[in-house]
Amino acid sequence: FFGRGESARARDRPFRALPFACLESGKMLLDDRRKIGLGLTGFGVFFMFLGALFFFDRGFLAMGNLLFLSGVTMIIGPKATVRFFSRKRSRRGSIAFFSGFALVLWGWPMIGLIIESYGIFLLFAGFLPTILMFLKKFPPLGAILDKPWIKQTLNKVAPANLPV
């Protein structure tokens, strides 16, 4: 039933069909690999912020890029990461992101970070409405996002017919 190579320990573990286990309260419980991935992605964004803060320091920007990529890989898996970056609709974003990364490594950190940021925006623009809805659930941010002029701006940036 379990196939060749399955240990007794693997057979005794409860079966989890989904990578995220839903709790009865509606919260999501992440498995350890995804928790590590979220941490790596967060550190990647933090190091990229530090790199920009310290006058486009090449080392911080390169470390941030590597941590960001490894975090995304840990969250969605290696095959899905390759598929995500090589999709036809993601080509422009992928080319911009990796070109910017190469420019950062070659000593042009300011131009590289600008091109990289454009690539990240192209790659993750589809997730922007979801991210905004997630941020709206936090009490301090929800009150800020409900301001009329911010709501108008966000609906122009992320027009997904969401009540943001």
Side-chain angles (χ1 to χ4, degrees), residues 33 37 41 68-79 81 85:
R33 185 175 54 94
T41 305
F68 180 79
L69 280 176
S70 60
V72 168
T73 304
M74 291 286 285
I75 291 172
I76 65 174
K79 287 182 183 177
T81 303
F85 282 108

Side-chain angles (χ1 to χ4, degrees), residues 43 119 129 147:
F43 277 119
K147 303 272 187 221

